[in-house]
């Protein structure tokens, strides 16, 4: 309720699919485990691949941008305050289409920055165009192919959510947290609570 701190209610806290783990001691979380995709992928390799990924996304947006804009702006067109696709994805708007996260790389054609005017409209438009994940699955295959050409450590490429593709080391999904608990938490926990992104939203 309100600003109540829920952390002391738990014995252990796992974030980022379990890659970051805390043990709660005296009501205070103490980090006992931490891994990042940056630990296994060299920065120069990441930078090279991110440049390739951005080119793939730019090419994709060139193909579907007009359709996205038409759907997002609707019948009212520019009069409804939704920007054109070029403005929406301009660097000045910081779209965040290619991201380094703790557990993964994330690639999102419409970008993840929700603070842009028109974000909800373009997100809905992309979901409409991407029925059956045809757009994201094609992007996933292209990204995986380009990654493998680099002769880099293996990554698993998956369609993540409704607007993006994720790439992470094998088994760095939510099952990682379960393996962490099996190895670090003795005896095995009697109760496990999972909180998704919506838990931190007012409507969650």
């Amino acid at each position: 309720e309100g600003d109540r701190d829920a952390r002391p209610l738990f014995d252990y806290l796992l974030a980022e699919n379990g890659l970051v783990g805390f043990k709660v001691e005296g009501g205070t979380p103490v980090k006992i485990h931490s891994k990042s995709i940056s630990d296994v992928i060299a920065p120069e390799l990441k930078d090279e691949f991110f440049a390739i990924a951005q080119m793939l996304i730019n090419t994709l947006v060139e193909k579907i941008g007009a359709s996205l804009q038409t759907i997002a702006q609707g019948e009212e067109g520019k009069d409804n305050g939704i920007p054109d696709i070029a403005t929406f994805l301009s660097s000045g708007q910081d779209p965040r289409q290619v991201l380094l996260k703790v557990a993964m790389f994330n690639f999102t054609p419409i970008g993840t920055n929700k603070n842009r005017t028109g974000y909800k409209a373009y997100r809905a438009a992309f979901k409409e165009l991407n029925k059956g994940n045809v757009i994201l699955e094609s992007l996933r295959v292209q990204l995986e192919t380009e990654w493998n050409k680099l002769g880099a450590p293996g990554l698993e490429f998956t369609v993540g959510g409704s607007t993006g593709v994720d790439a992470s080391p094998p088994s760095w999904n939510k099952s990682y947290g379960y393996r962490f608990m099996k190895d670090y938490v003795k005896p095995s926990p009697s109760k496990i609570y999972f909180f998704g992104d919506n838990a931190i939203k007012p409507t969650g």
Side-chain angles (χ1 to χ4, degrees):
E1 296 177 7
D3 294 327
R4 182 183 179 193
D5 186 354
R7 293 174 297 178
L9 299 176
F10 302 95
D11 298 316
Y12 292 86
L13 303 169
L14 302 180
E16 304 291 347
N17 290 349
L19 291 167
V20 181
F22 299 85
K23 183 176 182 180
V24 180
E25 299 178 351
T28 302
V30 177
K31 187 182 291 186
I32 59 173
H33 177 77
S34 179
K35 288 180 83 171
S36 165
I37 191 170
S38 296
D39 297 333
V40 295
I41 305 296
E44 58 273 13
L45 183 59
K46 185 267 296 181
D47 291 343
E48 180 180 1
F49 185 60
F50 274 24
I52 293 170
Q54 187 66 64
M55 286 190 294
L56 290 174
I57 287 174
N58 291 346
T59 300
L60 171 60
V61 171
E62 286 178 12
K63 293 179 180 178
I64 67 171
S67 297
L68 274 175
Q69 180 175 307
T70 298
I71 297 171
Q73 290 184 334
E75 295 180 4
E76 299 176 16
K78 298 177 182 178
D79 295 334
N80 64 0
I82 304 299
D84 60 68
I85 188 71
T87 300
F88 180 69
L89 292 177
S90 65
S91 60
Q93 296 295 317
D94 187 23
R96 302 178 198 166
Q97 295 168 294
V98 178
L99 290 177
L100 169 65
K101 296 186 175 182
V102 173
M104 67 188 73
F105 299 149
N106 176 255
F107 310 98
T108 309
I110 63 164
T112 58
N113 183 355
K114 300 177 182 179
N115 296 321
R116 292 168 291 162
T117 300
Y119 176 79
K120 288 184 178 179
Y122 273 103
R123 179 181 172 85
F126 185 85
K127 289 172 70 173
E128 183 174 332
L129 284 181
N130 186 48
K131 287 178 180 175
N133 275 334
V134 291
I135 296 173
L136 288 180
E137 178 58 22
S138 175
L139 178 61
R140 184 198 70 76
V141 171
Q142 292 179 66
L143 288 166
E144 185 172 29
T145 299
E146 292 299 325
W147 177 258
N148 290 336
K149 286 180 183 177
L150 297 176
L155 292 181
E156 291 181 344
F157 287 77
T158 58
V159 172
S162 56
T163 61
V165 174
D166 296 330
S168 61
S171 301
W172 277 27
N173 50 37
K174 288 179 175 59
S175 67
Y176 187 100
Y178 289 102
R179 294 195 304 278
F180 172 88
M181 286 187 285
K182 181 179 178 181
D183 294 338
Y184 282 82
V185 181
K186 308 294 182 185
S188 297
S190 58
K191 292 182 180 179
I192 299 172
Y193 298 89
F194 174 81
F195 299 93
D197 294 343
N198 285 332
I200 61 173
K201 297 179 180 178
T203 56

